[in-house]
Amino acid sequence: MPKAYWIGARMTIKDPDKLKAYAELAGLAVSEYGGKYLARGTKTKTFEGPNQARAVIIEFKNMETAIACHDSTNYQDALKKLDSGVERDLFVVEGME
């Protein structure tokens, strides 16, 4: 079964305090579901499209686990803390075997 990856991209941070509060709770939810951060706020270089100020990649054991983490009470509580503190694209993509 292929792994799955949450991708957070095209982020515009509007409220760093909300992002910090979200990150603390989101990190707990990700850990609970066995997620592993592969990139989180590290350097980016845009080759095409809009500049990426920040990107996040999280690996999960499979698509079902990645979706369950997103839909979990703990992650939804984290999203409430984020409120409108960040504009971003967030999606999950299934890896290749």
Side-chain angles (χ1 to χ4, degrees):
M1 183 175 292
K3 293 183 179 182
Y5 303 87
W6 278 13
I7 310 290
R10 294 176 29 146
M11 295 187 187
T12 302
I13 299 169
K14 294 180 164 188
D15 188 328
D17 292 331
K18 287 182 179 182
L19 176 60
K20 183 179 179 185
Y22 157 83
E24 290 173 8
L25 292 179
L28 294 174
V30 166
S31 178
E32 178 183 347
Y33 283 83
K36 177 182 175 185
Y37 285 91
L38 301 180
R40 186 179 189 186
T42 52
K43 292 181 187 177
T44 62
K45 169 68 177 148
T46 301
F47 294 111
E48 295 180 27
N51 283 331
Q52 300 293 319
R54 181 180 172 89
V56 176
I57 303 171
I58 306 170
E59 180 182 75
F60 289 90
K61 69 179 180 179
N62 56 40
M63 185 69 104
E64 292 76 19
T65 304
I67 293 169
C69 180
H70 180 273
D71 295 345
S72 71
T73 300
N74 287 341
Y75 186 73
Q76 293 301 308
D77 288 346
L79 284 176
K80 290 175 188 168
K81 295 284 185 186
L82 185 57
D83 191 28
S84 59
V86 173
E87 286 183 6
R88 65 182 177 169
D89 292 340
L90 178 65
F91 57 94
V92 61
V93 61
E94 189 172 60
M96 299 173 66
E97 291 195 57

